[in-house]
Amino acid sequence: MPNNLSTAIKKLNQGKLAEAGKLFSRVIKKDPTNGQAQYLLGQCLLRQNRNQEAALHLQQAISMGNPEPCLYYLCGMALEKSGQFQEAEKSYEIAERLGCSENLMYYMIGSFNANITQNFAKAEVYFGKTITNDPNAYVAYVALSKLYNDQGRYEDALQALDYCLTHGYETVEVYVNLGHALSHQGRQEEALACCKKSVELAPDHAVAQQNYLAQLLFSLDNEAEIYPEIAELTKPLNARVRKKYAGEMNCQLDRKLTLGFVSADLIQHAIVHYFLPVLKHLNKDRFTIILYSNKIIQDQTSNALENLCDVWVNCSQMDDKHFQDKIRTDQVDILIDLSNNTAGNRLTAFLNRPAPMQVSMMGLQMSTGLNCMDYALRDKQTAEKCQLDQYSSEKILPVENSAFFDPLMELPPVAPPPCISNGYITFGSFNGLRKIDKSVMEVWAKLLNAVPGSRIRLMTDDYENKYMRDYLHEIFSQFQVDQNRLQLQPRLSLGEFLTSHNEVDIALDPYPYHGESTTYYSLLMGLPLVTRAGNSCASNVSNRILAAINREQWVANDFDEYIEIALSLAKDVDGLIANRNSLRTDIENSSLMNFKLVTENIESALLRGWQTLCDERKRES
């Protein structure tokens, strides 16, 4: 017995985890009361990410009496990783109460509070304890930077990351968090460079890939530049793609098809304003609907969505193989991704083609880059303008009248334009700085110069940080715009956000990534919106919305025309009043809120794609 145990420990120290695990199991089989073997087997399983098994053995070791205090935090780690959050929190608390002071424990408690309970203040304390114990605990600085990013404290994040870089600590996580902070400060060129550096350091790092692809949309305005970057980044994934669906396609005419929608955002999230109205109007006689949620936690929005589908599946704890098996068992005909390359996506589960037809819909305004996606649902006019047939890995299923939005709430009343009472024009952008860079702010500064006495209101996540406010003031001051003409405001609750539109006369759209929800809200609150159309899907969002309500005259082709349109609107107070009185009604009576028509168009596109695949199968057989 002692020889088996010592050999197992030696294997564990050598990193031969599978061999060590077998030996520990033999020891336990002969002597189930061997607490050391239970503990070491739990540790071995934890290192293999066999977390539920690890938790059971660590709990068994604890139950044998007089455990080391730090055994509790290892048990907490296993419980947390297996989704047993309440038990994990208790285990962490016991470890600290009994006197464990290992740095890893402090770090894990900080991470638990940052990511699970979202008690940011407590997380900051524990990351601070980690650093106090070891000033060279760079991972804690990186964790702090993410914590600050999550709170919109971007300048604090940059300072934490600067400490890492000045001490020569460069990792993919450092550059991921750096790119995120810079982007949210409106420093898009620097952010793109950091995101590119992160994927160079770790080409297979999922978050680095997601951030880089998203940053392309904030920085570039040409599908001919964007798509090659997507294609290059997804080469390793495409090397794993199954070329064709391996099963049989049931192409029986008029058969009820099963649609499976996959997303990490089936919660209170912006996507619900676009997905929920479709889900409500899908033809339940024609389709069986399964929602696959890749989020551990559900909320009231999740419950509402669950009530509208036939089957709800939480796939967040399934690995790709088990998820693919589940999709096959559910006999999904058309598997639809709603996330694209955003956080929490399950695109890797599509690689092995678990469904006969696989579709990209919603998510980022770009191709997934994956050859396993048969189709992408895209706005017909945008697809033609941006030549998406050339710049997409998917075949395009064009959809007419694809711009739509459901506010999902009663909107506050529209007030008269504020210029009537205060005597000056107020421009405003209701997008975060991530969609705005210095070049756009310079255009806005020129516009303010051309409209004497005018003001501009900007949303700033890092509102409390003086450096951030000074940075914005400096950009406008270079164009002789006084500081008092720049009205900065923090993030607001949705109700306050909507009401704040009554303090703005004219909305200004960012470029090259247009607003979308913000565009709808501005128009619904009666504000004319000036936008510039470009050459990417992301820079053709607001113009599609404006076309649906016959306001194409607010769409510019370049920044000179953008300023001209804004000047024309600013001079026409009667026009501002008229738009204030009519825009909401115009939207409500347009295709933008004809959800039944939108859904029928989506259904038609999906059925066209299905019929095409069925015809191809028949020709091949």
Side-chain angles (χ1 to χ4, degrees), residues 510-559:
Y511 170 90
Y513 202 151
H514 288 177
E516 189 162 6
S517 297
T518 51
T519 294
Y520 285 110
Y521 283 133
S522 292
L523 295 170
L524 285 165
M525 292 305 297
L527 276 65
L529 177 124
V530 184
T531 190
R532 175 186 169 179
N535 300 301
S536 69
C537 292
S539 62
N540 279 278
V541 174
S542 292
N543 47 303
R544 290 194 289 116
I545 298 168
L546 292 172
I549 53 172
N550 300 312
R551 300 300 202 284
E552 295 97 330
Q553 67 270 27
W554 298 342
V555 180
N557 294 307
D558 56 40
F559 279 134

Short mmCIF file of all heavy atoms in Angstrom, two decimals, residues 510-559:
data_model
loop_
_atom_site.label_atom_id
_atom_site.label_comp_id
_atom_site.label_asym_id
_atom_site.label_seq_id
_atom_site.Cartn_x
_atom_site.Cartn_y
_atom_site.Cartn_z
N PRO A 510 -22.20 57.08 -34.70
CA PRO A 510 -20.76 56.82 -34.84
C PRO A 510 -20.43 56.18 -36.19
O PRO A 510 -21.33 55.80 -36.95
CB PRO A 510 -20.46 55.87 -33.69
CG PRO A 510 -21.75 55.16 -33.44
CD PRO A 510 -22.83 56.16 -33.74
N TYR A 511 -19.16 56.02 -36.44
CA TYR A 511 -18.66 55.44 -37.69
C TYR A 511 -17.26 54.88 -37.39
O TYR A 511 -16.50 55.53 -36.66
CB TYR A 511 -18.61 56.52 -38.78
CG TYR A 511 -17.91 56.11 -40.05
CD1 TYR A 511 -18.61 55.51 -41.08
CD2 TYR A 511 -16.54 56.30 -40.20
CE1 TYR A 511 -17.96 55.13 -42.25
CE2 TYR A 511 -15.88 55.93 -41.36
CZ TYR A 511 -16.59 55.34 -42.38
OH TYR A 511 -15.96 54.96 -43.53
N PRO A 512 -16.89 53.69 -37.89
CA PRO A 512 -17.59 52.90 -38.90
C PRO A 512 -18.60 51.89 -38.36
O PRO A 512 -19.25 51.21 -39.14
CB PRO A 512 -16.44 52.15 -39.57
CG PRO A 512 -15.44 51.94 -38.48
CD PRO A 512 -15.52 53.18 -37.63
N TYR A 513 -18.72 51.76 -37.05
CA TYR A 513 -19.71 50.82 -36.50
C TYR A 513 -20.90 51.63 -36.00
O TYR A 513 -20.87 52.24 -34.97
CB TYR A 513 -19.09 50.03 -35.35
CG TYR A 513 -19.78 48.71 -35.05
CD1 TYR A 513 -19.06 47.65 -34.52
CD2 TYR A 513 -21.14 48.53 -35.27
CE1 TYR A 513 -19.68 46.43 -34.23
CE2 TYR A 513 -21.77 47.34 -34.99
CZ TYR A 513 -21.03 46.28 -34.46
OH TYR A 513 -21.65 45.09 -34.17
N HIS A 514 -21.97 51.61 -36.78
CA HIS A 514 -23.17 52.37 -36.43
C HIS A 514 -23.77 51.90 -35.11
O HIS A 514 -23.56 50.76 -34.68
CB HIS A 514 -24.24 52.20 -37.51
CG HIS A 514 -23.92 52.90 -38.79
ND1 HIS A 514 -24.73 52.82 -39.90
CD2 HIS A 514 -22.89 53.72 -39.15
CE1 HIS A 514 -24.22 53.54 -40.89
NE2 HIS A 514 -23.09 54.08 -40.45
N GLY A 515 -24.56 52.77 -34.51
CA GLY A 515 -25.44 52.32 -33.45
C GLY A 515 -26.52 51.44 -34.06
O GLY A 515 -26.75 51.44 -35.26
N GLU A 516 -27.19 50.69 -33.22
CA GLU A 516 -28.36 49.93 -33.70
C GLU A 516 -29.50 50.16 -32.72
O GLU A 516 -30.42 50.93 -32.99
CB GLU A 516 -28.05 48.44 -33.85
CG GLU A 516 -29.17 47.71 -34.55
CD GLU A 516 -28.76 46.36 -35.11
OE1 GLU A 516 -27.61 45.90 -34.87
OE2 GLU A 516 -29.59 45.74 -35.80
N SER A 517 -29.43 49.56 -31.54
CA SER A 517 -30.45 49.85 -30.53
C SER A 517 -30.49 51.34 -30.23
O SER A 517 -31.57 51.94 -30.07
CB SER A 517 -30.18 49.06 -29.25
OG SER A 517 -30.25 47.67 -29.50
N THR A 518 -29.31 51.97 -30.16
CA THR A 518 -29.26 53.41 -29.88
C THR A 518 -29.91 54.21 -31.00
O THR A 518 -30.53 55.25 -30.75
CB THR A 518 -27.81 53.88 -29.67
OG1 THR A 518 -27.02 53.44 -30.77
CG2 THR A 518 -27.25 53.36 -28.37
N THR A 519 -29.78 53.75 -32.23
CA THR A 519 -30.43 54.42 -33.36
C THR A 519 -31.95 54.34 -33.22
O THR A 519 -32.65 55.35 -33.36
CB THR A 519 -29.99 53.78 -34.69
OG1 THR A 519 -28.60 54.03 -34.89
CG2 THR A 519 -30.78 54.34 -35.85
N TYR A 520 -32.44 53.16 -32.92
CA TYR A 520 -33.89 53.01 -32.74
C TYR A 520 -34.39 53.89 -31.60
O TYR A 520 -35.42 54.58 -31.73
CB TYR A 520 -34.24 51.55 -32.44
CG TYR A 520 -34.17 50.65 -33.65
CD1 TYR A 520 -33.17 49.69 -33.76
CD2 TYR A 520 -35.11 50.75 -34.68
CE1 TYR A 520 -33.10 48.84 -34.86
CE2 TYR A 520 -35.05 49.90 -35.79
CZ TYR A 520 -34.04 48.96 -35.87
OH TYR A 520 -33.98 48.13 -36.96
N TYR A 521 -33.69 53.87 -30.48
CA TYR A 521 -34.14 54.67 -29.33
C TYR A 521 -34.14 56.16 -29.66
O TYR A 521 -35.07 56.89 -29.29
CB TYR A 521 -33.24 54.40 -28.12
CG TYR A 521 -33.51 53.10 -27.41
CD1 TYR A 521 -32.47 52.25 -27.06
CD2 TYR A 521 -34.81 52.73 -27.06
CE1 TYR A 521 -32.71 51.06 -26.39
CE2 TYR A 521 -35.07 51.53 -26.41
CZ TYR A 521 -34.01 50.70 -26.07
OH TYR A 521 -34.25 49.53 -25.40
N SER A 522 -33.10 56.64 -30.34
CA SER A 522 -33.05 58.06 -30.70
C SER A 522 -34.24 58.45 -31.57
O SER A 522 -34.90 59.47 -31.33
CB SER A 522 -31.74 58.38 -31.43
OG SER A 522 -30.64 58.25 -30.57
N LEU A 523 -34.53 57.62 -32.56
CA LEU A 523 -35.63 57.93 -33.46
C LEU A 523 -36.98 57.83 -32.74
O LEU A 523 -37.87 58.66 -32.95
CB LEU A 523 -35.59 56.98 -34.67
CG LEU A 523 -34.37 57.13 -35.58
CD1 LEU A 523 -34.32 55.99 -36.59
CD2 LEU A 523 -34.35 58.47 -36.29
N LEU A 524 -37.12 56.80 -31.90
CA LEU A 524 -38.37 56.65 -31.16
C LEU A 524 -38.61 57.80 -30.18
O LEU A 524 -39.75 58.10 -29.84
CB LEU A 524 -38.37 55.32 -30.40
CG LEU A 524 -38.59 54.07 -31.26
CD1 LEU A 524 -38.21 52.81 -30.49
CD2 LEU A 524 -40.06 53.98 -31.72
N MET A 525 -37.52 58.46 -29.75
CA MET A 525 -37.64 59.61 -28.87
C MET A 525 -37.71 60.92 -29.66
O MET A 525 -37.61 62.01 -29.09
CB MET A 525 -36.49 59.64 -27.87
CG MET A 525 -36.53 58.52 -26.83
SD MET A 525 -38.08 58.43 -25.89
CE MET A 525 -38.06 60.01 -25.05
N GLY A 526 -37.87 60.82 -30.99
CA GLY A 526 -38.14 61.99 -31.82
C GLY A 526 -36.92 62.73 -32.32
O GLY A 526 -37.07 63.84 -32.86
N LEU A 527 -35.73 62.16 -32.19
CA LEU A 527 -34.52 62.87 -32.63
C LEU A 527 -34.15 62.47 -34.06
O LEU A 527 -34.05 61.27 -34.36
CB LEU A 527 -33.33 62.54 -31.72
CG LEU A 527 -33.17 63.33 -30.43
CD1 LEU A 527 -34.33 63.07 -29.48
CD2 LEU A 527 -31.84 62.98 -29.75
N PRO A 528 -33.91 63.45 -34.93
CA PRO A 528 -33.31 63.11 -36.22
C PRO A 528 -31.90 62.59 -35.97
O PRO A 528 -31.23 63.00 -35.02
CB PRO A 528 -33.29 64.44 -36.97
CG PRO A 528 -33.34 65.48 -35.91
CD PRO A 528 -34.12 64.89 -34.77
N LEU A 529 -31.44 61.66 -36.81
CA LEU A 529 -30.13 61.06 -36.62
C LEU A 529 -29.30 61.20 -37.88
O LEU A 529 -29.74 60.82 -38.96
CB LEU A 529 -30.27 59.58 -36.25
CG LEU A 529 -28.95 58.84 -36.10
CD1 LEU A 529 -28.84 58.19 -34.72
CD2 LEU A 529 -28.77 57.79 -37.18
N VAL A 530 -28.10 61.74 -37.74
CA VAL A 530 -27.18 61.90 -38.86
C VAL A 530 -26.22 60.73 -38.86
O VAL A 530 -25.60 60.43 -37.83
CB VAL A 530 -26.39 63.22 -38.76
CG1 VAL A 530 -25.52 63.41 -39.99
CG2 VAL A 530 -27.33 64.40 -38.57
N THR A 531 -26.09 60.07 -40.00
CA THR A 531 -25.20 58.91 -40.08
C THR A 531 -24.38 58.98 -41.35
O THR A 531 -24.71 59.71 -42.28
CB THR A 531 -26.00 57.60 -40.02
OG1 THR A 531 -25.09 56.50 -39.87
CG2 THR A 531 -26.83 57.39 -41.28
N ARG A 532 -23.32 58.20 -41.38
CA ARG A 532 -22.49 58.09 -42.59
C ARG A 532 -22.44 56.62 -42.99
O ARG A 532 -21.98 55.77 -42.22
CB ARG A 532 -21.07 58.58 -42.33
CG ARG A 532 -20.16 58.34 -43.54
CD ARG A 532 -18.70 58.68 -43.29
NE ARG A 532 -17.88 58.19 -44.39
CZ ARG A 532 -16.56 58.34 -44.48
NH1 ARG A 532 -15.89 58.96 -43.51
NH2 ARG A 532 -15.90 57.87 -45.51
N ALA A 533 -22.92 56.30 -44.18
CA ALA A 533 -22.89 54.93 -44.69
C ALA A 533 -21.50 54.63 -45.23
O ALA A 533 -20.81 55.51 -45.76
CB ALA A 533 -23.93 54.74 -45.78
N GLY A 534 -21.09 53.36 -45.09
CA GLY A 534 -19.76 52.98 -45.54
C GLY A 534 -19.78 51.72 -46.38
O GLY A 534 -20.74 51.45 -47.12
N ASN A 535 -18.75 50.91 -46.24
CA ASN A 535 -18.55 49.75 -47.10
C ASN A 535 -18.49 48.43 -46.34
O ASN A 535 -17.99 47.44 -46.85
CB ASN A 535 -17.25 49.92 -47.90
CG ASN A 535 -17.29 51.15 -48.78
OD1 ASN A 535 -18.15 51.28 -49.63
ND2 ASN A 535 -16.36 52.07 -48.55
N SER A 536 -18.99 48.44 -45.11
CA SER A 536 -19.06 47.21 -44.32
C SER A 536 -20.48 47.03 -43.83
O SER A 536 -21.29 47.96 -43.84
CB SER A 536 -18.09 47.27 -43.14
OG SER A 536 -18.55 48.23 -42.18
N CYS A 537 -20.78 45.82 -43.35
CA CYS A 537 -22.12 45.58 -42.78
C CYS A 537 -22.36 46.50 -41.59
O CYS A 537 -23.46 47.03 -41.41
CB CYS A 537 -22.24 44.13 -42.35
SG CYS A 537 -22.24 42.95 -43.71
N ALA A 538 -21.31 46.70 -40.78
CA ALA A 538 -21.46 47.50 -39.56
C ALA A 538 -21.71 48.97 -39.87
O ALA A 538 -22.32 49.67 -39.06
CB ALA A 538 -20.20 47.37 -38.70
N SER A 539 -21.25 49.44 -41.02
CA SER A 539 -21.47 50.85 -41.38
C SER A 539 -22.66 51.03 -42.32
O SER A 539 -22.78 52.03 -43.01
CB SER A 539 -20.20 51.44 -42.02
OG SER A 539 -19.88 50.77 -43.22
N ASN A 540 -23.54 50.02 -42.34
CA ASN A 540 -24.77 50.13 -43.13
C ASN A 540 -25.98 49.71 -42.31
O ASN A 540 -26.94 49.16 -42.84
CB ASN A 540 -24.66 49.27 -44.39
CG ASN A 540 -23.90 49.96 -45.50
OD1 ASN A 540 -24.44 50.78 -46.23
ND2 ASN A 540 -22.60 49.65 -45.59
N VAL A 541 -25.92 49.97 -41.01
CA VAL A 541 -27.03 49.62 -40.11
C VAL A 541 -28.05 50.74 -40.04
O VAL A 541 -29.23 50.55 -40.35
CB VAL A 541 -26.50 49.28 -38.70
CG1 VAL A 541 -27.65 49.05 -37.74
CG2 VAL A 541 -25.59 48.05 -38.75
N SER A 542 -27.60 51.93 -39.65
CA SER A 542 -28.55 53.03 -39.43
C SER A 542 -29.20 53.49 -40.73
O SER A 542 -30.36 53.91 -40.73
CB SER A 542 -27.83 54.20 -38.77
OG SER A 542 -27.44 53.86 -37.45
N ASN A 543 -28.47 53.44 -41.85
CA ASN A 543 -29.07 53.86 -43.12
C ASN A 543 -30.21 52.93 -43.53
O ASN A 543 -31.20 53.35 -44.14
CB ASN A 543 -28.03 53.99 -44.23
CG ASN A 543 -27.10 52.81 -44.32
OD1 ASN A 543 -26.43 52.48 -43.35
ND2 ASN A 543 -27.03 52.18 -45.48
N ARG A 544 -30.12 51.64 -43.18
CA ARG A 544 -31.24 50.72 -43.46
C ARG A 544 -32.46 51.09 -42.63
O ARG A 544 -33.59 51.03 -43.10
CB ARG A 544 -30.83 49.28 -43.14
CG ARG A 544 -29.81 48.69 -44.10
CD ARG A 544 -29.71 47.19 -43.92
NE ARG A 544 -29.06 46.78 -42.68
CZ ARG A 544 -29.64 46.11 -41.71
NH1 ARG A 544 -30.93 45.79 -41.80
NH2 ARG A 544 -28.97 45.76 -40.63
N ILE A 545 -32.20 51.47 -41.39
CA ILE A 545 -33.30 51.87 -40.50
C ILE A 545 -33.97 53.13 -41.02
O ILE A 545 -35.20 53.24 -41.10
CB ILE A 545 -32.77 52.07 -39.07
CG1 ILE A 545 -32.21 50.76 -38.54
CG2 ILE A 545 -33.86 52.61 -38.15
CD1 ILE A 545 -31.41 50.89 -37.25
N LEU A 546 -33.14 54.11 -41.41
CA LEU A 546 -33.68 55.38 -41.91
C LEU A 546 -34.43 55.19 -43.23
O LEU A 546 -35.45 55.86 -43.47
CB LEU A 546 -32.55 56.39 -42.08
CG LEU A 546 -31.89 56.87 -40.77
CD1 LEU A 546 -30.67 57.72 -41.06
CD2 LEU A 546 -32.90 57.65 -39.92
N ALA A 547 -33.97 54.27 -44.06
CA ALA A 547 -34.65 54.01 -45.33
C ALA A 547 -36.06 53.48 -45.10
O ALA A 547 -36.99 53.78 -45.87
CB ALA A 547 -33.85 53.03 -46.17
N ALA A 548 -36.23 52.71 -44.03
CA ALA A 548 -37.54 52.13 -43.75
C ALA A 548 -38.57 53.18 -43.35
O ALA A 548 -39.79 52.91 -43.43
CB ALA A 548 -37.41 51.08 -42.64
N ILE A 549 -38.11 54.37 -42.93
CA ILE A 549 -39.06 55.44 -42.56
C ILE A 549 -38.87 56.67 -43.46
O ILE A 549 -39.23 57.79 -43.09
CB ILE A 549 -38.90 55.83 -41.08
CG1 ILE A 549 -37.45 56.18 -40.74
CG2 ILE A 549 -39.41 54.72 -40.17
CD1 ILE A 549 -37.27 56.77 -39.34
N ASN A 550 -38.27 56.42 -44.64
CA ASN A 550 -38.12 57.48 -45.66
C ASN A 550 -37.35 58.70 -45.13
O ASN A 550 -37.73 59.84 -45.37
CB ASN A 550 -39.50 57.91 -46.18
CG ASN A 550 -40.25 56.77 -46.82
OD1 ASN A 550 -39.70 56.04 -47.64
ND2 ASN A 550 -41.51 56.60 -46.43
N ARG A 551 -36.26 58.45 -44.45
CA ARG A 551 -35.39 59.54 -43.97
C ARG A 551 -33.97 59.38 -44.53
O ARG A 551 -32.99 59.66 -43.86
CB ARG A 551 -35.33 59.57 -42.44
CG ARG A 551 -36.65 59.79 -41.71
CD ARG A 551 -37.31 61.10 -42.08
NE ARG A 551 -38.27 61.57 -41.08
CZ ARG A 551 -39.50 61.09 -40.88
NH1 ARG A 551 -39.93 60.05 -41.60
NH2 ARG A 551 -40.30 61.62 -39.96
N GLU A 552 -33.88 58.94 -45.78
CA GLU A 552 -32.55 58.74 -46.39
C GLU A 552 -31.76 60.03 -46.49
O GLU A 552 -30.53 60.00 -46.65
CB GLU A 552 -32.69 58.13 -47.80
CG GLU A 552 -33.26 56.73 -47.83
CD GLU A 552 -34.76 56.72 -48.11
OE1 GLU A 552 -35.45 57.70 -47.71
OE2 GLU A 552 -35.24 55.74 -48.70
N GLN A 553 -32.45 61.19 -46.41
CA GLN A 553 -31.74 62.47 -46.53
C GLN A 553 -30.80 62.72 -45.36
O GLN A 553 -29.99 63.64 -45.40
CB GLN A 553 -32.74 63.64 -46.66
CG GLN A 553 -33.58 63.91 -45.42
CD GLN A 553 -34.89 63.13 -45.40
OE1 GLN A 553 -34.97 62.06 -46.01
NE2 GLN A 553 -35.91 63.68 -44.76
N TRP A 554 -30.88 61.91 -44.31
CA TRP A 554 -29.99 62.06 -43.16
C TRP A 554 -28.75 61.17 -43.26
O TRP A 554 -27.96 61.09 -42.33
CB TRP A 554 -30.74 61.72 -41.86
CG TRP A 554 -31.90 62.64 -41.59
CD1 TRP A 554 -32.13 63.88 -42.13
CD2 TRP A 554 -33.00 62.39 -40.71
NE1 TRP A 554 -33.30 64.41 -41.64
CE2 TRP A 554 -33.86 63.54 -40.77
CE3 TRP A 554 -33.36 61.35 -39.87
CZ2 TRP A 554 -35.03 63.62 -40.02
CZ3 TRP A 554 -34.52 61.43 -39.12
CH2 TRP A 554 -35.35 62.56 -39.20
N VAL A 555 -28.59 60.50 -44.41
CA VAL A 555 -27.46 59.59 -44.60
C VAL A 555 -26.40 60.27 -45.46
O VAL A 555 -26.67 60.70 -46.59
CB VAL A 555 -27.92 58.28 -45.29
CG1 VAL A 555 -26.72 57.34 -45.47
CG2 VAL A 555 -29.02 57.61 -44.47
N ALA A 556 -25.18 60.36 -44.93
CA ALA A 556 -24.06 61.00 -45.64
C ALA A 556 -23.17 59.94 -46.29
O ALA A 556 -23.11 58.79 -45.84
CB ALA A 556 -23.25 61.85 -44.67
N ASN A 557 -22.44 60.38 -47.32
CA ASN A 557 -21.46 59.50 -47.98
C ASN A 557 -20.04 59.76 -47.50
O ASN A 557 -19.15 58.95 -47.71
CB ASN A 557 -21.54 59.67 -49.50
CG ASN A 557 -22.87 59.20 -50.06
OD1 ASN A 557 -23.29 58.07 -49.80
ND2 ASN A 557 -23.54 60.06 -50.82
N ASP A 558 -19.82 60.93 -46.88
CA ASP A 558 -18.51 61.25 -46.31
C ASP A 558 -18.73 62.23 -45.16
O ASP A 558 -19.85 62.66 -44.90
CB ASP A 558 -17.56 61.81 -47.38
CG ASP A 558 -18.12 63.04 -48.08
OD1 ASP A 558 -18.75 63.90 -47.41
OD2 ASP A 558 -17.94 63.15 -49.31
N PHE A 559 -17.66 62.60 -44.49
CA PHE A 559 -17.81 63.45 -43.31
C PHE A 559 -18.16 64.90 -43.65
O PHE A 559 -18.79 65.59 -42.86
CB PHE A 559 -16.57 63.38 -42.43
CG PHE A 559 -16.53 62.17 -41.54
CD1 PHE A 559 -15.38 61.40 -41.43
CD2 PHE A 559 -17.65 61.79 -40.80
CE1 PHE A 559 -15.35 60.29 -40.60
CE2 PHE A 559 -17.63 60.69 -39.97
CZ PHE A 559 -16.48 59.93 -39.87
#
